[in-house]
């Protein structure tokens, strides 16, 4: 799923939508991930099939960063 333009509020809203569980690839090239977005993705019961997550940059706290990158690792 390509989302352009996109903002943090839109991603947080998507995370609560049941149909979001069918998304396997999420491309957010215009978005800078914040702790709020990261936690919405991590806490969502609908991101279990998400395999590819791309975004512009991140502004994560060290604690959120550790958890986020363990769940959504950078592809090698």
């Amino acid at each position: 799923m390509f989302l352009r333009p996109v903002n943090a509020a839109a991603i947080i809203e998507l995370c609560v939508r049941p149909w979001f569980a069918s998304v396997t690839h999420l491309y957010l090239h215009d978005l800078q991930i914040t702790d709020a977005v990261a936690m919405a993705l991590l806490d969502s019961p609908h991101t279990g099939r998400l395999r590819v997550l791309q975004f512009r940059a991140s502004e994560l706290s060290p604690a959120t960063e550790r958890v986020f990158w363990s769940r959504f690792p950078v592809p090698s």
Side-chain angles (χ1 to χ4, degrees), residues 28-51:
L28 310 169
H29 295 148
D30 293 339
L31 184 66
Q32 187 159 335
I33 298 287
T34 62
D35 278 359
V37 172
M39 292 312 297
L41 288 164
L42 288 165
D43 292 343
S44 174
H46 309 298
T47 58
R49 295 187 63 211
L50 192 58
R51 299 293 173 252

Side-chain angles (χ1 to χ4, degrees), residues 21-69:
S22 66
V23 174
T24 59
H25 293 66
L26 187 58
Y27 301 96
L28 310 169
H29 295 148
D30 293 339
L31 184 66
Q32 187 159 335
I33 298 287
T34 62
D35 278 359
V37 172
M39 292 312 297
L41 288 164
L42 288 165
D43 292 343
S44 174
H46 309 298
T47 58
R49 295 187 63 211
L50 192 58
R51 299 293 173 252
V52 175
L53 175 60
Q54 294 180 358
F55 49 89
R56 186 182 75 199
S58 65
E59 285 186 2
L60 301 177
S61 68
T64 301
E65 189 172 71
R66 278 190 301 278
V67 176
F68 186 79
W69 291 124

